[in-house]
Amino acid sequence: MTSVPQLTDRLIKRGDGWQIGWDAGAAEFCGLVGDNHWAFELTRSELGDFCRLVEQLADTLQAIATELMAEERIACEAETETLWLEAEGFADRYTLHLILQTGRRCEAHWNETAARELTTAARTIRIFSGLL
């Protein structure tokens, strides 16, 4: 008899142009990121890095916003051993670009609307999954 994970062991959040998920019962790839047409799985470490860096980049853009003119765009990037992430645009609307630097070598891009919602969802996933 196989064990079925409890509802609280899984979470997937989706919106227009983005998705992010967590499955505590998965053997290796417990995370998921993507959009409406594609997705790839992430390890716990990769998902933790993704969620943490998305939040750091959003906070950095907010902090820098007071130093920029209204029409001035900015690009910020952050990197760990597992992934590289860039936020580009304005403090309140930016795109996200991800390159997974581990064996699978995946790449992803989210538009401004999707990136804003994905950033909010990543904070939820990070708290829910215990990836603090």
Side-chain angles (χ1 to χ4, degrees), residues 45-99:
S45 175
E46 292 163 349
L47 182 64
D49 286 351
F50 176 79
C51 291
R52 188 177 71 259
L53 294 182
V54 164
E55 191 170 347
Q56 286 177 1
L57 288 174
D59 291 347
T60 299
L61 288 174
Q62 284 296 320
I64 293 172
T66 60
E67 306 298 322
L68 302 174
M69 295 186 294
E71 67 279 358
E72 196 171 3
R73 296 178 69 86
I74 188 157
C76 295
E77 59 183 64
E79 185 174 13
T80 67
E81 289 182 7
T82 64
L83 58 88
W84 174 88
L85 192 64
E86 178 187 53
E88 194 274 322
F90 303 97
D92 61 340
R93 57 188 198 284
Y94 51 87
T95 61
L96 284 174
H97 184 195
L98 164 70
I99 298 176

